[in-house]
Amino acid sequence: MKWENDEILSMIEQKKYTDVREKIINLNPVHVGEIIESLDVSESILVFRMLPKDLAVDVFNYISSEVQENIISAITDKEIKHIIDELYFDDMIDLLEEMPAKVVKKILQHSNVEERKLINEFLNYPESSAGSLMTIEYVDLKKNMTIGEAIEHIKYTGINKETIYNCYVINEERKLEGIVSLRKLILSDYNLKVEDVMNKDVVYVNTGNDQEYVASLFKKYDIIVVPVVDMEDRLTGIITIDDIIDVIDQETTEDFQKMAAMAPSEEAYLDTGVFTLAKNRLMWLTILMVSATFTGNILKRFEDVLQSVVVLTFFIPMLMDTGGNAGSQSATLVIRSLALGEIETKDFFKVVYKELRVSLITGIALAILNFLRIYFLQGTDFYVSVTICITLLFTVVLSKVVGAMLPIIAKKLKMDPAIMAGPLITTIVDAGALIVYFSIAKVLLHI
């Protein structure tokens, strides 16, 4: 595919626009979007306007908000109206949320009063809620319809719906009563009623549910679409798998950023300004820098021990690094398991007990290997070697237990477990390890 993209880009450079159009109209919309993204502003607008109307709408979904803004600012009102009319409702809401006010105003000029009212209602849902993710393009049925009537209804209304594979059965008050798949309808006797074949045990979410909870339902029930109801159980919309994939990517990226002690950002790395990146990192770096003063105070408190046995200083980095790495391992596993629903806060003692056993095994193994290295190979004093290895065992146990505990405690306190990751755990473990290190040294080395 890359060679074909390169060929088209070469044609654009040579201004062979007729050949370009013949090539791109047969490409997948995603590939066309990639080509447009790689062009400068004027060329991207020119290529976009070459596209047939239906292909232009599909391609519009696969280009960045920056390029979308450039295109909307340049094309005619008639072209904007066609795009807005053909976009699925949830895609239009996403577009409006990312555009500046002047562009939003231009888009809304092509919406009628009823559409604008609905758009405003959707834009008022919390950003990470099910309501902000849903679309209103679904097929609803009445339970007293025959199967034949239901299929005719789908044929008539389904052409502009985002999905017709699942249809939702509602009553006169629009309350959700059941769900029936298109497959079930087609394979059933056309004289039966919809209520005879519908599934009444419906998995659904509320408009106020968090998007992370919605994603967990998709995984748990292995579904591709879920209905959304309001506080009175009235069907409001549906959420499809394509939106949930975006949510999973977003949540995973956010967790990685928090685990690296950075404020989350939804913008792509290259699109984010230098000052914004610095601001996102500065707060946590400041907190961790200040918390590291505890480590400095501990070193100062045991200054006499360091002066007496200078060799102890050489092993401090190894102990700290090992503790940080061990804690990060446990924290990463626990945070991911919490995100996937594999463990819950009620499993706190099970997790801690398990990590305690794991830490003893790994700690003893590392302590033995380290003793063989520093005593036999490096010729370090026996009691110094024992001091270092006992501290190493304690450090591994402490870091793994703390790494397992903190994310669960954060979850219990309704905080994001990802904030209890590497840097914070390392700071806690470093302080504990140094206290134990020098306390053992005082006893064994008679300082």
Side-chain angles (χ1 to χ4, degrees):
M1 197 65 232
K2 186 179 183 303
W3 66 268
E4 194 167 11
N5 285 3
D6 291 341
E7 182 184 356
I8 293 170
L9 291 173
S10 176
M11 289 178 183
I12 293 171
E13 285 181 10
Q14 298 170 35
K15 303 190 185 304
K16 296 180 179 179
Y17 297 124
T18 304
D19 294 337
V20 170
R21 189 178 190 280
E22 288 178 3
K23 277 278 187 185
I24 62 177
I25 60 175
N26 296 313
L27 293 181
N28 186 295
V30 176
H31 297 151
V32 180
E34 289 174 350
I35 292 169
I36 291 175
E37 285 280 351
S38 64
L39 302 172
D40 61 32
V41 176
S42 58
E43 286 179 339
S44 64
I45 295 169
L46 181 63
V47 172
F48 184 82
R49 299 186 81 164
M50 291 181 192
L51 303 175
K53 288 183 177 180
D54 291 341
L55 178 58
V57 174
D58 291 336
V59 170
F60 195 79
N61 282 317
Y62 296 108
I63 54 181
S64 67
S65 57
E66 183 181 352
V67 178
Q68 286 177 338
E69 182 183 342
N70 292 333
I71 289 172
I72 289 174
S73 299
I75 61 179
T76 65
D77 286 355
K78 185 178 179 181
E79 289 170 316
I80 293 174
K81 187 177 189 313
H82 178 76
I83 291 174
I84 298 305
D85 288 344
E86 295 300 318
L87 278 176
Y88 287 123
F89 192 81
D90 58 334
D91 292 327
M92 182 170 64
I93 295 298
D94 291 340
L95 172 66
L96 293 172
E97 286 178 332
E98 295 178 1
M99 292 293 112
K102 63 177 183 179
V103 178
V104 171
K105 184 177 179 181
K106 189 173 182 180
I107 293 172
L108 291 179
Q109 286 174 351
H110 304 285
S111 305
N112 58 42
V113 175
E114 186 178 339
E115 285 177 334
R116 283 199 292 272
K117 182 180 177 182
L118 196 57
I119 288 168
N120 288 330
E121 183 181 334
F122 269 67
L123 291 174
N124 284 329
Y125 285 117
E127 185 179 351
S128 299
S129 68
S132 68
L133 292 174
M134 68 184 181
T135 179
I136 56 172
E137 276 109 4
Y138 58 87
V139 176
D140 54 54
L141 304 172
K142 298 292 192 296
K143 63 182 178 182
N144 58 355
M145 285 180 171
T146 65
I147 302 298
E149 290 171 340
I151 291 175
E152 287 302 314
H153 178 73
I154 294 169
K155 286 180 180 178
Y156 179 72
T157 64
I159 190 168
N160 294 319
K161 305 303 181 184
E162 185 154 349
T163 178
I164 61 172
Y165 301 121
N166 288 297
C167 304
Y168 302 94
V169 186
I170 56 175
N171 62 18
E172 293 74 17
E173 298 175 342
R174 298 198 61 78
K175 290 190 176 182
L176 183 62
E177 294 197 334
I179 182 174
V180 59
S181 68
L182 182 61
R183 175 191 177 95
K184 186 94 173 204
L185 291 172
I186 292 174
L187 297 178
S188 299
D189 185 333
Y190 280 24
N191 294 315
L192 289 174
K193 298 283 189 182
V194 169
E195 65 180 330
D196 297 329
V197 297
M198 73 180 188
N199 180 6
K200 296 180 180 179
D201 185 18
V202 186
V203 177
Y204 63 89
V205 296
N206 190 275
T207 51
N209 287 143
D210 186 82
Q211 62 182 20
E212 209 167 347
Y213 169 73
V214 179
S216 70
L217 289 188
F218 272 78
K219 180 178 182 295
K220 180 178 180 179
Y221 292 100
D222 196 20
I223 51 180
I224 60 172
V225 61
V226 68
V228 184
V229 300
D230 62 15
M231 298 303 292
E232 297 175 359
D233 292 333
R234 292 176 301 198
L235 184 62
T236 308
I238 61 171
I239 299 173
T240 51
I241 187 67
D242 58 317
D243 293 312
I244 290 302
I245 290 173
D246 293 338
V247 167
I248 292 170
D249 279 345
Q250 178 187 333
E251 293 290 342
T252 303
T253 302
E254 186 178 296
D255 284 348
F256 275 123
Q257 290 171 334
K258 287 181 178 177
M259 289 170 70
M262 291 188 294
S265 172
E266 293 183 8
E267 292 186 54
Y269 175 77
L270 292 177
D271 294 334
T272 308
V274 173
F275 286 104
T276 302
L277 287 172
K279 183 185 70 175
N280 289 344
R281 303 177 192 185
L282 188 58
M283 183 187 74
W284 268 106
L285 286 174
T286 304
I287 292 171
L288 293 171
M289 180 184 69
V290 172
S291 64
T293 57
F294 293 114
T295 306
N297 289 334
I298 293 169
L299 288 170
K300 187 176 181 180
R301 177 183 168 191
F302 290 98
E303 186 179 0
D304 57 331
V305 177
L306 285 174
Q307 289 176 344
S308 300
V309 188
V310 178
V311 71
L312 292 174
T313 309
F314 304 147
F315 296 96
I316 291 175
M318 181 269 292
L319 292 170
M320 288 184 168
D321 288 347
T322 303
N325 293 335
S328 294
Q329 287 178 338
S330 297
T332 301
L333 287 174
V334 172
I335 289 168
R336 192 61 185 152
S337 297
L338 285 168
L340 296 174
E342 295 173 351
I343 59 175
E344 298 177 10
T345 53
K346 66 180 181 180
D347 298 316
F348 178 84
F349 292 106
K350 290 181 182 177
V351 173
V352 171
Y353 179 53
K354 189 163 194 171
E355 284 300 315
L356 177 61
R357 288 177 291 164
V358 171
S359 65
L360 286 170
I361 294 170
T362 55
I364 290 170
L366 288 172
I368 292 172
L369 288 172
N370 202 50
F371 182 81
L372 295 174
R373 179 178 68 88
I374 63 176
Y375 181 65
F376 290 103
L377 297 180
Q378 296 182 1
T380 306
D381 179 79
F382 176 79
Y383 288 107
V384 171
S385 300
V386 171
T387 300
I388 294 165
C389 293
I390 292 175
T391 306
L392 180 63
L393 171 60
F394 171 83
T395 301
V396 172
V397 172
L398 175 65
S399 60
K400 285 196 173 293
V401 171
V402 170
M405 289 170 55
L406 289 183
I408 301 178
I409 292 171
K411 184 81 172 178
K412 186 70 176 176
L413 297 174
K414 302 190 182 305
M415 298 166 62
D416 192 329
I419 64 173
M420 301 296 186
L424 184 58
I425 292 169
T426 300
T427 302
I428 295 171
V429 172
D430 285 351
L434 286 175
I435 292 172
V436 171
Y437 188 34
F438 293 123
S439 298
I440 294 173
K442 271 192 166 185
V443 174
L444 292 181
L445 303 177
H446 307 293
I447 300 173

